[in-house]
Amino acid sequence: MVKEKTGNRPTDEDLIERFQNGDLYAFDLIVKRYKNQLLNFIFRFLGNTEEAEDLVQETFLRVYRNRKAYQKVAKFSTWIYTIAGNLAKTELRKRKRRRFFSISELGYNEKDYDISDDAYNPEKDVDGRMKEAIIHNQIMKLSPKFRQVILLRDVQQLSYEEISEIVNIPLGTVKSRVNRGRLKLQEKLKFLLER
Amino acid sequence: MNTCQNYEGFISGYLEGDLQGESLLEMKNHISKCQSCSQKINNIKVLCLNLKKLAPVKTSSDFDTMLRARIKLDSKKKRYQTNWNLFPGNFRIPAHGISIALIIIAFTLVFLKISNFQNPTIPDAADNAEWYSGQPIQNQQSPDNLTVYSIDRQPAIRVISHRQNHLLGHTERGTETVADSTNLLAQENRLSDLQRNYYQTKTY
Ligand SMILES: [Zn+2]
């Protein structure tokens, strides 16, 4: 924690290596570094904060359990995002199955996005928060394959190369998918963006 | 690149500085003349800014405590069932799969029991020295083109013979004698004789 301010910030790869060698404090640092990033990614993907937090915990549990499986050839960030992304997709499939058996299931929609929540930057005016809610809902309406890459690229600000590794699709496909996702969102949010 | 739709595919590349040379010039040329495309590009620029600025959510205050508890619990659990993690990562055998497999195994066991019970005269291969040696006991011909069914219309002989093959460690299946008859009860009565023939005419 202190190290982060001294300019001697250990890389993620340093941390996981230390953790692999038994340093539990390094694991704490990894958690600190990634918990909010991952929460934002999964929350925007699933639309529900509680479920998202549960999956972030599950992600760290898997990192803890499978720490020996990580190899330095891959970037740690892509490894952990891959784990989180797979868990989120599995959750989405489970939901689909649940919805198939339950007519009353609401799935994601406005219900899950509480715009009065403190987490949504209370300084922002009502207009701003409303705008975010609208954007969020349109993201949720994208199909998962577009939603995932849009979130990784435009919300999480990852590189195309990283996304390609996380989603396990070719670089060119990532680029065109991001582009198409943006066009879809633009189409739906025109009224908001042109103001 | 002629219609606006063709240019759409290059918007992100254009905005992110990925377009170069000829393509870049063409794009610029098109935007300068096409109101619709230039509006779209502007919208996407604003959209990306908005997405980047989306208010971040934060984990709850007890996140770390909960995580620690979860890890502790998991480690404890693992100590009790160390050898069961055949499928690491996300892979899990669906519960349904396990149930179905168990049901199939149960049915097979019950079926084998019934078949044995219904056909008590089947020679126990291990005890039948003559059959075991592969030599016919009597010079009887087995009836051709017959299928032998027990009452529940299961090809009892086939299953039992395979089982016995297995017990005896035979790798090859013997010549199978099959019977075809409409009268099931009559078949049942003839079953033991047929089975004797069957085993006797087997060659390995
Ligand atoms: Zn155009």
Side-chain angles (χ1 to χ4, degrees):
Chain A
M1 274 177 245
V2 189
K3 273 183 178 173
E4 286 177 30
K5 283 184 179 168
T6 59
N8 200 11
R9 193 174 193 259
T11 64
D12 295 341
E13 288 73 23
D14 293 337
L15 290 179
I16 184 75
E17 198 182 343
R18 271 166 52 186
F19 177 46
Q20 283 174 329
N21 294 325
D23 181 355
L24 291 177
Y25 177 65
F27 178 72
D28 283 345
L29 287 180
I30 290 172
V31 173
K32 191 172 177 255
R33 234 175 238 190
Y34 278 93
K35 62 181 181 182
N36 286 321
Q37 283 188 50
L38 292 178
L39 182 71
N40 276 287
F41 168 54
I42 301 181
F43 162 63
R44 299 281 173 198
F45 190 73
L46 294 177
N48 177 302
T49 30
E50 274 166 45
E51 268 178 341
E53 189 157 315
D54 184 57
L55 288 190
V56 175
Q57 293 220 344
E58 186 62 32
T59 305
F60 286 123
L61 185 63
R62 303 258 169 132
V63 169
Y64 190 95
R65 227 193 257 156
N66 304 312
R67 57 187 175 278
K68 300 280 181 201
Y70 170 78
Q71 286 172 339
K72 236 183 170 174
V73 282
K75 255 183 104 175
F76 177 76
S77 61
T78 54
W79 188 58
I80 198 168
Y81 267 101
T82 306
I83 298 173
N86 287 342
L87 286 170
K89 274 190 268 181
T90 306
E91 179 58 32
L92 215 59
R93 275 196 293 273
K94 277 189 206 161
R95 250 192 216 179
K96 232 183 199 170
R97 230 176 298 150
R98 280 201 297 268
R99 211 172 312 162
F100 180 77
F101 288 111
S102 152
I103 316 159
S104 61
E105 170 79 50
L106 287 162
Y108 64 79
N109 56 18
E110 292 78 359
K111 176 183 161 280
D112 292 325
Y113 194 85
D114 181 5
I115 51 167
S116 67
D117 196 322
D118 286 349
Y120 297 97
N121 203 348
E123 285 121 69
K124 267 191 184 159
D125 53 28
V126 179
D127 203 37
R129 279 151 69 188
M130 193 64 93
K131 192 166 147 188
E132 282 203 351
I134 294 166
I135 294 173
H136 175 85
N137 286 326
Q138 284 308 326
I139 294 174
M140 292 306 302
K141 280 177 186 159
L142 286 175
S143 71
K145 74 171 190 182
F146 288 114
R147 188 156 76 238
Q148 188 183 24
V149 293
I150 286 288
L151 290 176
L152 292 171
R153 178 69 190 159
D154 290 334
V155 181
Q156 305 282 303
Q157 305 283 308
L158 299 184
S159 72
Y160 285 115
E161 286 78 10
E162 285 173 306
I163 301 169
S164 163
E165 265 184 61
I166 293 166
V167 184
N168 199 20
I169 53 175
L171 191 63
T173 315
V174 177
K175 287 184 177 179
S176 71
R177 210 176 267 184
V178 167
N179 191 57
R180 282 175 63 199
R182 285 173 180 167
L183 283 162
K184 281 170 194 277
L185 275 181
Q186 182 273 149
E187 197 59 41
K188 301 279 182 196
L189 295 167
K190 240 185 224 170
F191 70 99
L192 203 100
L193 301 168
E194 284 175 8
R195 281 201 293 187
Chain B
M1 298 210 294
N2 281 320
T3 64
C4 291
Q5 247 184 351
N6 289 340
Y7 287 98
E8 275 185 353
F10 298 94
I11 290 180
S12 290
Y14 171 73
L15 286 172
E16 286 163 340
D18 245 8
L19 273 194
Q20 279 160 3
E22 198 63 3
S23 323
L24 180 64
L25 283 178
E26 237 182 288
M27 186 71 164
K28 278 184 173 170
N29 188 35
H30 179 77
I31 302 165
S32 66
K33 286 181 279 182
C34 178
Q35 173 64 30
S36 155
C37 281
S38 83
Q39 179 70 64
K40 222 171 254 177
I41 287 172
N42 225 28
N43 284 352
I44 288 180
K45 221 190 270 177
V46 179
L47 171 73
C48 289
L49 275 177
N50 275 293
L51 291 173
K52 195 179 173 182
K53 281 192 312 190
L54 275 181
V57 278
K58 280 186 181 150
T59 52
S60 53
S61 53
D62 60 351
F63 182 90
D64 292 359
T65 321
M66 295 287 287
L67 178 62
R68 241 165 257 148
R70 212 159 155 172
I71 288 172
K72 219 175 192 174
L73 193 76
D74 185 69
S75 310
K76 246 185 211 168
K77 233 172 31 187
K78 228 176 157 190
R79 241 174 283 147
Y80 285 112
Q81 33 159 295
T82 33
N83 293 326
W84 286 95
N85 194 15
L86 294 169
F87 306 100
N90 286 334
F91 190 84
R92 281 188 188 153
I93 306 174
H96 298 303
I98 294 178
S99 329
I100 291 168
L102 284 175
I103 290 169
I104 290 171
I105 291 168
F107 267 99
T108 311
L109 288 174
V110 167
F111 168 74
L112 287 175
K113 259 254 154 27
I114 289 172
S115 311
N116 267 336
F117 180 75
Q118 285 176 343
N119 311 300
T121 52
I122 289 172
D124 187 339
D127 293 338
N128 190 333
E130 285 160 296
W131 180 78
Y132 188 55
S133 67
Q135 299 302 313
I137 298 167
Q138 291 157 28
N139 201 14
Q140 274 181 302
Q141 279 295 310
S142 60
D144 284 341
N145 302 321
L146 292 174
T147 300
V148 182
Y149 282 111
S150 62
I151 292 292
D152 56 2
R153 296 199 65 82
Q154 296 296 324
I157 283 180
R158 186 182 297 235
V159 172
I160 290 156
S161 68
H162 286 177
R163 192 167 75 96
Q164 290 185 335
N165 277 352
H166 177 69
L167 286 172
L168 291 166
H170 287 291
T171 47
E172 243 178 275
R173 282 174 191 174
T175 353
E176 291 188 8
T177 306
V178 280
D180 177 35
S181 170
T182 46
N183 191 332
L184 287 176
L185 274 175
Q187 276 182 27
E188 275 300 304
N189 293 336
R190 290 168 57 208
L191 198 57
S192 52
D193 285 330
L194 286 171
Q195 277 162 353
R196 198 155 289 124
N197 288 342
Y198 172 67
Y199 286 119
Q200 283 160 5
T201 54
K202 252 170 179 292
T203 51
Y204 282 97

